[in-house]
Amino acid sequence: MSATMNRAALPTFAQVQEAAARIAPYAVKTPVLRNTTLNALAGADLYFKCENLQRGGAFKFRGACNAVWSMDDAMATSGVVTHSSGNHGNALALAAATRGIPAHVVVPEDAVRTKLEAIERAGAILHRCVATQAAREAKADEVQRATGAELVHPFSDTRVMAGQGTAVLELLEQSGGLDAVITPVGGGGLIAGTAIAAHGVAPQIEVHGAEPAGADDAARSLAQGQRVGPFTPDTICDGLRTLIGETNFEALRMHRVEVTTVSDDEVVAAMRLLWNELKIVVEPSSATVLAAVLKRPERFKGKRVGLILTGGNVDLDALPW
């Protein structure tokens, strides 16, 4: 990492390219799947980027790995700390293990059991807190002061956003070019990195976000022209229950990102389609992208659309159907 990098600033396209080279020895170049049935339903040519097959079962490994390997040796010695509902914590633990450094993960009480188990298996030290954003951040700050670990924020860290943007770089290469790309929107690390990377390659690409109606702060923020305050999420999409970050929201505005909201029922229907047609396991948060495309067929009709399937970490004993 450059000594001058602001860890709360948006990355440049060059930093996304540097991240791609940095994580190449560790991250999986995930496949892109296509399906004639889903194309017919959408009236579009769909390209599914399968980040559910990434290390740790989610795209989050990209950003975590870039952050871990951006650190100099002196900084890395004390390890890393973050707060996460699951996938980012697991990813940071796995990334820290590739460098042999400690990882501390603050987890909310309502985190999915299987995701907590995955974080522990990856070797992280868990620190529990109540299920609010303020509590997560306060606990992470406490752990950071006690251990000297480097904070790697789940979505507002420049290094994380740059790493997340590498998924769409691969997708654009694998697909041969796209008219539009769509990702889920939670804290905004993926959508920010995606917008920067996609427009760095081809400025005319449309960038879309998909958001559950029960956690629609990004859509409401764009409608109001300013970031809305804290909210209480109500959605099965556990990975998207986070308020979008300030820097991340600015990326949405700068890159003219359109956000479509979908109901939990629409998410479940899309999730079933993905399981049935693509024969892969995806979690509810991932299914928002297909749900959004199917909800607005007039917006995507006839286009080549890339959909990032963000993760596949589901509790098989608690499926939403």
Side-chain angles (χ1 to χ4, degrees):
M1 182 187 69
S2 167
T4 60
M5 181 185 286
N6 180 344
R7 290 178 206 141
L10 289 171
T12 63
F13 178 55
Q15 286 169 335
V16 177
Q17 293 175 305
E18 290 165 5
R22 187 176 290 119
I23 70 174
Y26 312 102
V28 174
K29 186 174 184 179
T30 54
V32 174
L33 297 183
R34 301 177 67 192
N35 182 271
T36 54
T37 299
L38 297 179
N39 285 352
L41 285 172
D45 197 3
L46 307 182
Y47 295 78
F48 295 93
K49 179 64 168 165
C50 296
E51 285 297 292
N52 56 313
L53 303 178
Q54 186 54 261
R55 288 185 67 172
F59 77 97
K60 295 279 192 177
F61 182 78
R62 294 176 179 272
C65 187
N66 187 51
V68 163
W69 285 99
S70 294
M71 298 162 60
D72 60 35
D73 290 342
M75 184 188 300
T77 302
S78 298
V80 287
V81 60
T82 195
H83 53 84
S84 167
S85 61
N87 285 341
H88 175 68
N90 184 33
L92 190 63
L94 290 169
T98 67
R99 194 163 179 179
I101 61 176
H104 300 268
V105 180
V106 174
V107 296
E109 294 170 338
D110 63 349
V112 175
R113 175 182 57 82
T114 52
K115 292 186 178 182
L116 293 184
E117 291 171 353
I119 295 171
E120 288 187 300
R121 283 197 304 273
I125 302 162
L126 292 185
H127 306 266
R128 297 179 186 272
C129 70
V130 298
T132 68
Q133 188 72 14
R136 287 162 59 146
E137 292 175 354
K139 188 67 174 179
D141 186 56
E142 176 187 319
V143 173
Q144 183 183 24
R145 290 196 306 269
T147 62
E150 170 78 358
L151 178 65
V152 180
H153 193 276
F155 50 82
S156 294
D157 190 302
T158 311
R159 303 163 296 185
V160 168
M161 287 185 275
Q164 315 307 28
T166 64
V168 80
L169 286 185
E170 290 180 6
L171 174 56
L172 290 169
E173 177 189 357
Q174 292 166 305
S175 64
L178 298 167
D179 300 308
V181 63
I182 183 168
T183 85
V185 180
L190 177 61
I191 191 69
T194 295
I196 291 163
H199 286 159
V201 173
Q204 76 279 8
I205 291 178
E206 298 173 10
V207 180
H208 295 262
E211 192 173 44
D216 64 345
D217 58 295
R220 288 186 292 116
S221 295
L222 288 173
Q224 295 180 26
Q226 60 183 5
R227 183 168 167 263
V228 300
F231 67 104
T232 302
D234 181 17
T235 175
I236 61 170
C237 303
D238 63 282
L240 306 179
R241 294 172 182 161
T242 307
L243 180 68
I244 193 167
E246 293 183 21
T247 306
N248 311 82
F249 174 60
E250 287 307 311
L252 268 66
R253 296 180 67 179
M254 289 167 55
H255 290 270
R256 304 174 306 284
V257 174
E258 290 185 38
V259 176
T260 298
T261 59
V262 290
S263 69
D264 278 2
D265 286 345
E266 290 167 331
V267 168
V268 171
M271 185 176 170
R272 289 181 69 105
L273 278 171
L274 290 166
W275 282 49
N276 192 53
E277 293 297 329
L278 298 186
K279 314 303 180 188
I280 57 173
V281 174
V282 296
E283 57 193 82
S285 298
S286 297
T288 57
V289 291
L290 178 59
V293 170
L294 295 178
K295 184 173 184 175
R296 301 181 68 197
E298 76 289 346
R299 190 68 186 84
F300 298 97
K301 183 178 179 180
K303 294 180 178 178
R304 293 164 57 88
V305 185
L307 300 87
I308 299 185
L309 300 178
T310 46
N313 295 318
V314 295
D315 185 346
L316 295 178
D317 294 322
L319 293 175
W321 55 68

